[in-house]
């Protein structure tokens, strides 16, 4: 109890959060962030600013993931934030897509903890993430799935089966599906579908290919299958997404 009292007295003397935030500026390759209940950034270190595309945290304070990242990525991050704040439990070593452009194969390992006020009420979250290839000691899941995810991003247009992916990870199908869902929060098929949709979104804005051509190029059965899948994930049709992105 005396140790706990000493700790509280020590931290009460600190002049705000800035001094602690300086520590995270010294960690290369680590993105550190603090958000409030509404998902607004309260603090960011240098790597976090790089992900957001800003030169200093002052340009990000008060804004949210939706202001910086692709909609699908932002929704994933926000969903994890909500789980942590609602449950009051930390999220540890979640493997997820890096906060970059749609279709990027990079992965990060993210941990988040709830932040509480003096009354014990959760008022936000703090977290950090590191690119998986920068981890000196990868977890078994990160090591196995980094190869699988790289394969998914490179060959998403192919008819990939869960058994093929499980073999690449060196796991049985049941082990692969269970550990993949635990690591990513979705099934392998759902993840592959998202990769296909993200790449389709990129092609819609960067090329003049028709909707049917893009559907075929991204591994969908046909135009109708593509449109249904795209709307379910992006909440809009492929044609409307193209018009909105191109300002037409």
């Amino acid at each position: 109890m005396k140790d706990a009292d000493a700790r509280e007295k020590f931290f009460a003397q600190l002049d705000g959060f800035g001094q602690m935030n300086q520590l995270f500026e010294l960690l290369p390759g680590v993105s550190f962030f603090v958000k409030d209940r509404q998902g607004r950034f309260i603090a960011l270190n240098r790597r976090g600013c790089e992900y957001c595309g800003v030169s200093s945290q002052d340009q990000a304070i008060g804004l949210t993931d939706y202001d910086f990242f692709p909609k699908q990525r932002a929704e994933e991050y926000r969903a994890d934030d909500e789980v942590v704040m609602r449950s009051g439990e930390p999220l540890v070593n979640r493997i997820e897509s890096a906060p970059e452009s749609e279709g990027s194969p990079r992965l990060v390992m993210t941990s988040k903890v709830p932040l509480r006020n003096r009354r014990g009420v959760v008022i936000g979250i703090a977290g950090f993430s590191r690119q998986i290839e920068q981890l000196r000691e990868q977890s078994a899941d990160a090591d196995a799935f980094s190869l699988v995810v790289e394969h998914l991003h490179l060959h998403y247009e192919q008819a990939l089966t869960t058994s093929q992916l499980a073999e690449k990870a060196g796991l049985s199908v049941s082990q692969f599906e269970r550990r993949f869902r635990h690591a990513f929060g979705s099934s392998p098929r759902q993840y592959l579908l998202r990769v296909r949709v993200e790449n389709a979104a990129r092609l819609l804005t960067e090329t003049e290919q028709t909707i049917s051509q893009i559907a075929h190029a991204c591994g969908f059965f046909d135009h109708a299958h593509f449109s249904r899948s795209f709307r379910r994930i992006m909440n809009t049709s492929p044609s409307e997404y193209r018009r909105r992105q191109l300002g037409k």
Side-chain angles (χ1 to χ4, degrees):
M1 187 65 181
K2 290 183 178 179
D3 290 340
D5 290 341
R7 183 185 62 184
E8 292 297 326
K9 290 179 180 179
F10 177 82
F11 282 114
Q13 299 177 69
L14 291 179
D15 182 17
F17 185 78
Q19 295 180 60
M20 296 296 290
N21 196 29
Q22 290 176 15
L23 175 64
F24 291 94
E25 293 289 349
L26 304 177
L27 298 177
V30 175
S31 169
F32 173 74
F33 52 86
V34 175
K35 303 176 193 175
D36 65 11
R37 288 287 314 202
Q38 286 71 47
R40 295 173 297 199
F41 285 108
I42 302 301
L44 273 177
N45 73 345
R46 189 175 308 163
R47 183 58 172 156
C49 290
E50 291 174 0
Y51 275 139
C52 291
V54 297
S55 58
S56 71
Q57 69 171 353
D58 292 340
Q59 296 175 290
I61 302 305
L63 300 180
T64 73
D65 291 317
Y66 291 94
D67 294 300
F68 301 110
F69 309 128
K71 180 176 180 291
Q72 181 65 21
R73 302 276 169 90
E75 288 180 346
E76 292 172 14
Y77 305 152
R78 184 59 181 163
D80 281 346
D81 293 350
E82 289 288 350
V83 168
V84 171
M85 290 188 291
R86 185 169 57 251
S87 68
E89 298 294 329
L91 180 151
V92 181
N93 291 342
R94 164 63 63 84
I95 303 172
E96 58 189 11
S97 301
E100 299 171 345
S101 61
E102 290 162 324
S104 169
R106 292 182 182 273
L107 297 175
V108 294
M109 185 172 284
T110 300
S111 295
K112 300 177 181 179
V113 297
L115 295 178
R116 304 175 185 273
N117 63 17
R118 294 184 182 278
R119 298 191 304 275
V121 177
V122 175
I123 60 173
I125 60 119
F128 65 88
S129 64
R130 298 172 289 173
Q131 286 185 10
I132 283 180
E133 60 265 30
Q134 293 178 340
L135 299 180
R136 292 184 177 180
E137 297 181 3
Q138 297 182 6
S139 70
D141 285 348
D143 188 40
F145 292 142
S146 61
L147 295 176
V148 171
V149 169
E150 180 181 20
H151 187 78
L152 284 174
H153 281 270
L154 290 175
H155 305 289
Y156 58 85
E157 78 286 357
Q158 298 179 6
L160 301 172
T161 66
T162 301
S163 60
Q164 289 174 331
L165 299 175
E167 183 179 359
K168 184 171 288 294
L171 299 169
S172 69
V173 171
S174 59
Q175 287 177 323
F176 175 72
E177 289 185 327
R178 183 176 65 255
R179 288 169 61 176
F180 193 100
R181 184 178 291 278
H182 175 75
F184 291 92
S186 68
S187 71
R189 304 307 302 174
Q190 290 169 331
Y191 186 93
L192 175 59
L193 181 63
R194 191 185 71 198
V195 171
R196 287 173 171 168
V197 167
E198 287 187 348
N199 279 278
R202 177 177 53 81
L203 293 176
L204 285 167
T205 58
E206 295 179 359
T207 75
E208 295 182 357
Q209 294 182 52
T210 66
I211 303 297
S212 294
Q213 288 173 328
I214 291 175
H216 178 73
C218 292
F220 292 95
F221 298 128
D222 52 33
H223 186 295
H225 178 222
F226 171 49
S227 295
R228 288 195 305 271
S229 301
F230 193 94
R231 181 180 290 278
R232 186 162 65 249
I233 291 177
M234 304 298 284
N235 295 318
T236 188
S237 68
S239 56
E240 178 58 31
Y241 179 87
R242 171 175 268 174
R243 283 196 295 270
R244 189 167 64 242
Q245 294 298 311
L246 298 180
K248 295 181 179 181

